[in-house]
Amino acid sequence: MKIHLSAILLSLLFCGCIQQIALNSIGDLMDTGFSVLNEEQDLNIAEKSIASDLKLLETVIAKDPNNTHYLLLATLGYSSYALGFAEDDSVDRARLFYLRARDYGVRILRRNPAYARASGKNVDELRTALSTFSDEDLPAIYWTTVAWGSYINLSLTDPEALADLIQVEAMMEFVLDRSPSYFYGGPHYFLGTLYGSKPKMLGGNPDLAKHHFEEALKVNGGKFLLTYIFYAKSVAVQTQDRALFEQCLTIVDTTSIDVLPQARLANSIAKKKAHMLREKIDQLF
């Protein structure tokens, strides 16, 4: 039986279109899924759902490795999973997932030729490269920096990881300059944690850290409860201010997770972390 080449090509094109439609549908579904998960208050359901979604997402990325949207979802997803769940059970697992999140994000950022050339070089070149990004690139820069900074925070005995801290600081300062209110004041509480976690002799600045946390709380109205967790773990512990520490945890304990329905999961995680921090209070002070 004779089969025309045009028929074969048409068939292949049709299959390719169907596959792309399927990939797009999964991507749209995962967008919705992450939004729905952010409103979930049951941590067991959320943990299992996020883990399975992330593996599905990596399968989609394997089929469409240059899709910026999927790469961003992976960056955000693995960062969130590491913070919300892995950190509390295993530092090694959390480092693994933060590193995976960072690497997905860097794949997005390196598509900018200026960033690709400046990455790993001096901070002035990096700042020049960052200026070439548009506001549409801010989510990728923000979540890559969150993952990278969190990895460094769990790798303080690794000189190679610490060497990247100046780049991380420059990247978040760029986001702060462009959009200080992004993700409930995220640039502020990230920098607050950065400056508040280190002793003064290593570049810590508790006054500047407090300023950033207070600015973040102005942005989110105190409704994004993880802000208080970061405040307590960094500034309060580093300055040995037990009263501030207990004040932050009490606010988390007494505030309803429904105060910000679209961040119900994050607020549930904050309450879990507040409980864990209270159990360690005599070790920390």
Side-chain angles (χ1 to χ4, degrees):
M1 182 173 61
K2 188 174 181 181
I3 302 177
H4 291 290
L5 179 60
S6 59
I8 296 174
L9 292 175
L10 183 60
S11 176
L12 290 173
L13 179 62
F14 178 75
C15 290
C17 289
I18 291 296
Q19 184 181 61
Q20 191 58 51
I21 290 170
L23 289 174
N24 290 340
S25 297
I26 291 173
D28 292 341
L29 183 62
M30 299 197 82
D31 270 341
T32 303
F34 276 121
S35 296
V36 171
L37 272 173
N38 284 333
E39 299 179 8
E40 177 58 60
Q41 67 185 61
D42 188 295
L43 296 182
N44 289 327
I45 290 176
E47 181 175 8
K48 292 174 183 176
S49 298
I50 294 173
S52 61
D53 285 350
L54 285 171
K55 293 316 296 180
L56 175 59
L57 181 58
E58 287 193 317
T59 301
V60 174
I61 290 173
K63 290 288 186 181
D64 192 0
N66 296 316
N67 190 303
T68 300
H69 183 59
Y70 300 156
L71 293 172
L72 178 59
L73 284 177
T75 304
L76 186 160
Y78 271 113
S79 293
S80 301
Y81 183 81
L83 171 66
F85 305 103
E87 268 192 19
D88 299 330
D89 299 322
S90 168
V91 170
D92 289 338
R93 286 186 71 234
R95 291 175 73 249
L96 171 68
F97 294 137
Y98 279 132
L99 196 58
R100 193 175 297 180
R102 183 204 69 178
D103 290 347
Y104 278 124
V106 168
R107 282 170 61 176
I108 301 172
L109 302 184
R110 288 186 68 84
R111 293 182 183 178
N112 179 315
Y115 178 86
R117 289 192 299 269
S119 182
K121 297 183 179 178
N122 71 68
V123 72
D124 291 330
E125 289 185 60
L126 176 62
R127 288 195 177 101
T128 299
L130 288 170
S131 69
T132 66
F133 283 103
S134 70
D135 288 348
E136 293 181 355
D137 300 309
L138 290 180
I141 298 171
Y142 175 79
W143 286 107
T144 302
T145 308
V146 166
W148 203 339
S150 299
Y151 171 77
I152 293 171
N153 191 47
L154 297 180
S155 310
L156 297 179
T157 59
D158 181 354
E160 187 175 343
L162 287 173
D164 292 333
L165 195 55
I166 191 170
Q167 292 192 65
V168 166
E169 183 178 357
M171 290 168 70
M172 192 56 78
E173 286 176 343
F174 172 78
V175 179
L176 177 68
D177 182 62
R178 290 287 187 93
S179 184
S181 63
Y182 185 77
F183 200 71
Y184 311 111
H188 279 297
Y189 57 72
F190 179 94
L191 291 171
T193 301
L194 176 64
Y195 299 134
S197 297
K198 298 182 294 182
K200 287 185 177 181
M201 66 180 65
L202 296 178
N205 189 330
D207 291 333
L208 182 56
K210 286 181 179 180
H211 165 74
H212 280 297
F213 277 115
E214 294 304 323
E215 289 299 310
L217 291 170
K218 286 180 185 177
V219 169
N220 61 48
K223 296 179 180 180
F224 189 72
L225 300 183
L226 279 172
T227 309
Y228 293 106
I229 298 299
F230 299 138
Y231 204 168
K233 288 180 66 176
S234 59
V235 175
V237 172
Q238 189 59 236
T239 60
Q240 287 295 281
D241 189 339
R242 183 166 180 155
L244 175 61
F245 185 85
E246 292 184 335
Q247 178 187 1
C248 287
L249 299 191
T250 297
I251 292 173
V252 174
D253 289 339
T254 58
T255 302
S256 169
I257 58 173
D258 293 320
V259 70
L260 192 63
Q262 63 269 35
R264 193 178 286 118
L265 175 58
N267 283 346
S268 296
I269 289 170
K271 286 181 175 290
K272 176 187 70 167
K273 289 182 179 293
H275 176 74
M276 296 175 70
L277 286 172
R278 280 196 185 280
E279 292 184 333
K280 298 178 180 178
I281 192 166
D282 290 331
Q283 302 171 35
L284 297 171
F285 296 92

